[in-house]
Amino acid sequence: MPTIRDVARLAGVSVATVSRYLNNSGYISQEAAQKIRHAIEALDYEPNAIARGLAKKRTSTIAVLLPDITNPFFAELVKSVEASARDRDYNVVIWSIDEGETAEHSFNAFLRMLQLQYIEGVIIATHTLATKQVEALKKRAIPFVFLDRPALVTTAPVIRADNRKGARLAVRHLREVGATQIAHIGGPQALLPARERLQGYLEEIKAGGRDMQPVIVEGDFTLEGGMNAIYRILEQAPDTDGIFAANDLMAIGALKALHRAGIAVPEDIAIIGFDGISLTAMIEPELSTVAQPIAALGARAVDRLMHLAEHGGMDEHVDTLEVTLIARASTQRGRLH
Amino acid sequence: MPTIRDVARLAGVSVATVSRYLNNSGYISQEAAQKIRHAIEALDYEPNAIARGLAKKRTSTIAVLLPDITNPFFAELVKSVEASARDRDYNVVIWSIDEGETAEHSFNAFLRMLQLQYIEGVIIATHTLATKQVEALKKRAIPFVFLDRPALVTTAPVIRADNRKGARLAVRHLREVGATQIAHIGGPQALLPARERLQGYLEEIKAGGRDMQPVIVEGDFTLEGGMNAIYRILEQAPDTDGIFAANDLMAIGALKALHRAGIAVPEDIAIIGFDGISLTAMIEPELSTVAQPIAALGARAVDRLMHLAEHGGMDEHVDTLEVTLIARASTQRGRLH
DNA sequence: AAACGATGTGTAACCGGTTACAGACGAAAG
DNA sequence: CTTTCGTCTGTAACCGGTTACACATCGTTT
C-alpha cells in the first residue's frame, strides 16, 4: 500500500501539494498536477480512509438506525440507502435498535460508536426513540434526518410519504370496486404515520356519504396484530366487505385470518394494505396496496443528509413523496355479492 | 471528547502507561492502574476508534458480502451476524454485490473499501464470486469465511447447514404424510447447496422403493422460478402429490402457481420448502420447511472470523450445523385422496 | 518604483492513538 | 557485592493523512 509520501516523492513535490491535489483545495500548477497524476497512476495509490478520517475528523460513513432489518420494509429501504450512499463513495452502517429493556443500552452503544467512528450523519427510521435521545444526537452536532416519523425536535428534516392521501386512495379504491362497509386496521396511534392513515380513512369514509360507517380497530403493524384485528372486526361489524390495513404486514395477517375463518378474498371481503413491500406480490391472492416510493425515500434521505453534512445549516424541510395505488387480486372488481 | 493525553495528565502518568492499561499489555502497577481508572471515570473517556485503527492498522469491523438484503434469508442472517458482532464490540458493514455486469466493478469497490478501512474480516454469503476474486482477498491477507458455499479455495473455513440430511428429512416427511409421487424443484446446480439438496432428495426417493420415480425440474431460487417449475411438473408428472422445493422462496412460488391452477394444498399436493425463513409462517396455508439454524450460522461465522483474525492460521474447518423439520399446514396429514 | 494581490509550494504541527526502546528500581541469584 | 531478571514507566517515533503558516514569484496598480 503506497502512501501519500510515496506519491510525493515520485512526483517530486511535497505531501502538502499532493494532498491539495487530492482534495481540490488551494492552488496547484498544471505541471504539478500532471506529475502527481502520473505518480498516482504508477503506484496505484488510493488515500487511506482511516488516516483521512482521523485528520479530518470525519469519515465517509453514515448510519441507519432502524428497528429490524428482517422487516421487509426496512430491508428495502436499506437497500436504496446503501445504493445511494455508494454512489457518493459513502459507506453505510446499519444499527438495529432492539425494543424493550435493552433499547437504551443499545442506543448508548450507538451514540458511542457515532463519535468514536466519526460518523457523519444518521438516518433515523425507527420510532422507538425518545426526545431525550434525539437531543443527545443534536448536542453532538451530528446531522440526522427522520424517515416517516415526526421530527421529535425541530430543526431536522423529515422525509415522508403522503400517508393521508394514500389512505384516501386506498379507501376510494375499495369503494370503486364495490365495497360499502369499509373497516380500518390502524397502526399504533402513537405513531404519526398511523394517525395520518387513519385520518385519510375517516375523510374518505365521510366522503362516501352517511350510509358509510367507520369501523376502526387498532393493530400494532405486525402480522399477528392484523390477524387479531380481523376477529374483532368480524364481531363488531359482520357486514364488513372492505378492509384497509395501515400497513402490508397487517393486511397479510388479515388475509390469513380471513382465510382461516373461511371468508373469501376478494369475493366476500376486499382488502388493501399500505407500504408496497414486495411480499404483497408473493402471496395468494396478491395483495393490493398503496406503495410508498421506498427507493425514493431512501435516496432522498441520503441527499438531505449529504446536504446537511456539507453545508451545515439545520434545514427543517419536510419532503412529502407521492404514493401510488397498486390494484391486485385482493380487491378485484366483479366480486360475487 | 477527552483524549488519551487528557487521561494521562489527570492521572499523572504518561500516555504510554494509559495505553498499556487500555490494552492490557505490558506491566502496570496497582497504583497507576488505580489512578488511570479514576481519570477515565472522571473524564468519561473512550478511546477514539479511528485513531486506534490508524495506529493498529485494524479497526473492529467486519464486512458481510451478500447478494441482496431484501431476500429474507439474508436479512435474517445479517441480523444474527450483527448481534454476534456487537457482543464483541465489532461493527458490521453490509455490502450487497449486485449481479450482472456491474458485479466486477462492485467487487473492486468492495476490495478497495476493505483495505482503506482496515476491515478485519469478511463473511462471504454470496455465490456469484469468482475464484479470482477470492484469491484477491486471500492475497491481501484478509480473513474470510464462507457461508453455505463451497470454499472455492482451500484454507478457508466454511459454515454450512446439513443440506443433504435436510433434504432427506423433507422427502421422508412427505412420504410419511402419504405422498407417493414426489417431485423436486431444484436450485441452480452450479451451487453446491442446491446439488446437496438434490442428492438428499434422490437418496430418499430411492429408499422409497421402486415405485417412486424422481421428477426434477431446475429452478433459480426465486419465486418466479418456483412458479414456472410447477407448470413443468404438472406437465411432466400429472400424478405428482408431493413437492420438495430446494428453498422456501421457490416453494412459495409453487404454492402460488398451484393455487392459480386450482390445485389444493395440501389436499391434492403436499409441499415443503427449505431454509425456514419467517415468510413461511406468514402465508396461507403455512409452509412446511426444513429450517436452517440461521441465527446459529451467523453466530458461528462471526466466531470463526474472530478466531482467524486473532490467532491467524488458516484453519479450513467445515462446520456443518443441524437442520430441523417444521411441519405445517402445507403438508398436513389426513389429506383427501 | 513600491505596493499589492493572486498563484504556487514546502515545512512542520497535528489528529489520537500504539509501541519500540531505554532506563530505573528492587529482589533474587551467583 | 556484583549480576541478573522481573517489574514498571516515560520519551519519542510512528500510523497516513490534512492544513496553518511562511515564503517565493509574478503580473497589476498607484
Side-chain angles (χ1 to χ4, degrees), chain B residues 271-328:
Chain B
I271 181 163
I272 186 168
F274 201 112
D275 276 353
I277 61 179
S278 56
L279 203 56
T280 54
M282 298 189 178
I283 58 174
E284 198 66 27
E286 293 191 355
L287 183 69
S288 297
T289 184
V290 175
Q292 301 204 48
I294 302 186
L297 284 171
R300 186 68 62 88
V302 173
D303 274 355
R304 290 272 168 223
L305 209 49
M306 301 288 97
H307 190 268
L308 279 185
E310 276 155 32
H311 310 304
M314 288 287 165
D315 84 20
E316 62 179 302
H317 196 77
V318 174
D319 272 313
T320 304
L321 305 189
E322 287 303 318
V323 295
T324 51
L325 177 79
I326 301 180
R328 296 217 187 88

Side-chain angles (χ1 to χ4, degrees), chain A residues 46 48-49 68 79 82 86 91 94 96 112 116-118 256 259-260 279 281-282 284 286, chain B residues 1 46 48-49 68 79 82 86 91 94 96 112 116-118 256 259-260 279 281-282 284 286:
Chain A
E46 296 256 7
N48 179 299
D68 182 7
K79 190 176 184 175
E82 212 208 359
R86 202 117 98 207
N91 277 110
I94 311 300
S96 312
R112 218 166 46 230
L116 305 181
Q117 306 263 9
Y118 293 136
K256 258 188 94 128
H259 182 262
R260 291 190 179 176
L279 203 55
M282 298 189 178
E284 199 66 28
E286 294 191 354
Chain B
M1 291 265 90
E46 296 256 7
N48 179 299
D68 182 7
K79 189 176 185 175
E82 213 209 357
R86 201 117 98 207
N91 277 109
I94 312 300
S96 311
R112 217 166 47 229
L116 305 181
Q117 307 262 11
Y118 292 136
K256 256 187 95 125
H259 182 263
R260 292 192 178 175
L279 203 56
M282 298 189 178
E284 198 66 27
E286 293 191 355

Side-chain angles (χ1 to χ4, degrees), chain A residues 1 46-51 53-54 59-61 68-70 75-76 78-79 82 86 89 91-98 106 112-113 115-118 223 249 252 255-256 259-260 278-279 281-286, chain B residues 1 46-51 53-54 59-61 68-70 75-76 78-79 82 86 89 91-98 106 112-113 115-118 223 249 252 255-256 259-260 278-279 281-286:
Chain A
M1 291 264 90
E46 296 256 7
N48 179 299
I50 299 290
L54 179 60
T59 57
S60 292
T61 309
D68 182 7
I69 188 72
T70 66
E76 291 174 30
V78 162
K79 190 176 184 175
E82 212 208 359
R86 202 117 98 207
D89 280 317
N91 277 110
V92 176
V93 337
I94 311 300
W95 197 271
S96 312
I97 199 122
D98 28 81
S106 174
R112 218 166 46 230
M113 185 273 288
Q115 303 230 268
L116 305 181
Q117 306 263 9
Y118 293 136
L223 187 101
L249 235 38
I252 290 168
L255 226 38
K256 258 188 94 128
H259 182 262
R260 291 190 179 176
S278 56
L279 203 55
M282 298 189 178
I283 58 175
E284 199 66 28
E286 294 191 354
Chain B
M1 291 265 90
E46 296 256 7
N48 179 299
I50 300 289
L54 179 59
T59 58
S60 291
T61 309
D68 182 7
I69 188 70
T70 67
E76 290 174 31
V78 162
K79 189 176 185 175
E82 213 209 357
R86 201 117 98 207
D89 281 316
N91 277 109
V92 176
V93 335
I94 312 300
W95 198 271
S96 311
I97 199 123
D98 27 82
S106 174
R112 217 166 47 229
M113 186 273 288
Q115 301 231 268
L116 305 181
Q117 307 262 11
Y118 292 136
L223 187 100
L249 235 38
I252 290 168
L255 226 37
K256 256 187 95 125
H259 182 263
R260 292 192 178 175
S278 56
L279 203 56
M282 298 189 178
I283 58 174
E284 198 66 27
E286 293 191 355

